[in-house]
Amino acid sequence: MYAEQVHDYLKIFFKETNCEVLSDEGHMLSVQLTADMDKRIMNRPFYWQYIEATNSPANPARLNLITDRTKIQNQFIGEIIHFGSGRLHQIFKATKELGSFVKMYHHSDGNEGKGMLTPYFCVNYKVSYYSDQTKEVLYSLGINLINGEIEDNFHEYVSELNLKTDMPDEKFCLQYIIKPTRALERLDSMIQNIIQNDDHSWAEEARMRWEKELEVLDFFYDGVEEKPESYEIEKKGLKERFNPRIKVEIINGGLFYLL
């Protein structure tokens, strides 16, 4: 997950959770948290227990999040956030808690009168490539439940629309032909195809680094006829560290009725 992806993800997250983005410099976000979001991602349980017990005015935290440290001279002005950081992990967790599945309706900005809403099923995936190094890629796929067409970058598209949880007046929702369970199977299949067609040179590179580390390990035990237990433990540890593997997770999803 690159710095730009982290930055865009955070902007969408704070917008959807009603946290005010005070400034956005492209490599750093200044955000005023709501009380609810402070409780979820700031690890201040005793503070909030005191506030609620004494009925005192709350002061939710303000965050300065640096998403690209290479563009900051004074890194003490904010908190560096990146894939693997504790703060981003907390935000991922809050995302799952708040929006594992949604059902939204497209409201037109103008007065267009009667119309039909087409159902789309969306799933946001996180694909993680693990070895001694880690890379994350986010995919947002949406499938038209009438004709089966699949759209990528679906979340970016719907985030620009006027979506609400209540159905708009004088609109009719088309009954989907493709069931959501079948839609999920098709999207899962597409993710598998994306992974299979991806460049997997990273796995071969990890294997080569593994072999070099094994050579170093064997050098230290050269001439030892009966290898001690520590040798086998280190050898197993190297295998676990460099073994390439891929993990696919569903972050969240939803059913969207769009004009």
Side-chain angles (χ1 to χ4, degrees), residues 18 46 104 205 208 213 217:
N18 298 316
F46 297 112
M104 306 289 286
E205 292 168 358
M208 295 173 62
E213 291 290 334
L217 178 63

Side-chain angles (χ1 to χ4, degrees), residues 91-142:
I91 290 174
F92 281 153
K93 181 181 178 182
T95 301
K96 290 183 178 180
E97 293 173 348
L98 293 170
S100 58
F101 188 86
V102 297
K103 186 176 182 180
M104 306 289 286
Y105 300 89
H106 187 179
H107 285 243
S108 59
D109 296 327
N111 184 18
E112 300 178 3
K114 296 182 180 180
M116 295 185 295
L117 299 177
T118 302
Y120 286 81
F121 184 77
C122 170
V123 178
N124 295 318
Y125 295 91
K126 179 174 69 173
V127 180
S128 302
Y129 298 83
Y130 294 103
S131 62
D132 58 317
Q133 302 174 1
T134 302
K135 183 180 77 169
E136 261 195 354
V137 183
L138 300 179
Y139 295 96
S140 181
L141 303 179

Side-chain angles (χ1 to χ4, degrees), residues 10-29:
L10 293 177
K11 285 197 300 182
I12 295 173
F13 173 82
F14 289 122
K15 176 184 176 181
E16 295 298 325
T17 55
N18 298 316
C19 296
E20 183 182 1
V21 176
L22 303 174
S23 66
D24 176 7
E25 299 181 27
H27 53 269
M28 184 173 74
L29 283 174

Side-chain angles (χ1 to χ4, degrees), residues 49-215:
Q49 288 175 10
Y50 171 80
I51 291 297
E52 293 169 0
T54 60
N55 199 28
S56 302
N59 185 26
R62 172 178 172 175
L63 292 179
N64 291 321
L65 300 175
I66 301 171
T67 55
D68 189 346
R69 69 180 74 186
T70 64
K71 297 181 179 179
I72 296 291
Q73 293 183 349
N74 181 8
Q75 297 184 3
F76 294 101
I77 64 174
E79 175 184 354
I80 298 174
I81 186 168
H82 55 83
F83 170 68
S85 65
R87 186 73 67 207
L88 189 58
H89 175 74
Q90 291 170 317
I91 290 174
F92 281 153
K93 181 181 178 182
T95 301
K96 290 183 178 180
E97 293 173 348
L98 293 170
S100 58
F101 188 86
V102 297
K103 186 176 182 180
M104 306 289 286
Y105 300 89
H106 187 179
H107 285 243
S108 59
D109 296 327
N111 184 18
E112 300 178 3
K114 296 182 180 180
M116 295 185 295
L117 299 177
T118 302
Y120 286 81
F121 184 77
C122 170
V123 178
N124 295 318
Y125 295 91
K126 179 174 69 173
V127 180
S128 302
Y129 298 83
Y130 294 103
S131 62
D132 58 317
Q133 302 174 1
T134 302
K135 183 180 77 169
E136 261 195 354
V137 183
L138 300 179
Y139 295 96
S140 181
L141 303 179
I143 181 171
N144 185 316
L145 296 182
I146 301 298
N147 59 26
E149 292 183 356
I150 296 177
E151 305 286 343
D152 59 2
N153 299 318
F154 190 79
H155 183 76
E156 293 182 14
Y157 168 65
V158 296
S159 64
E160 301 296 327
L161 303 179
N162 182 17
L163 299 175
K164 297 181 181 180
T165 56
D166 59 303
M167 185 174 172
D169 296 333
E170 297 187 349
K171 293 294 186 295
F172 172 74
C173 292
L174 293 174
Q175 178 62 39
Y176 49 75
I177 298 175
I178 302 172
K179 294 182 179 180
T181 52
R182 174 56 181 159
L184 179 59
E185 292 176 358
R186 292 187 59 180
L187 295 182
D188 284 347
S189 178
M190 171 159 279
I191 283 292
Q192 294 300 323
N193 288 334
I194 291 173
I195 294 173
Q196 290 175 6
N197 295 324
D198 200 1
D199 179 10
H200 294 289
S201 59
W202 64 275
E204 178 62 21
E205 292 168 358
R207 185 189 64 80
M208 295 173 62
R209 292 193 298 271
W210 178 21
E211 291 178 350
K212 289 182 179 180
E213 291 290 334
L214 283 176
E215 290 177 0

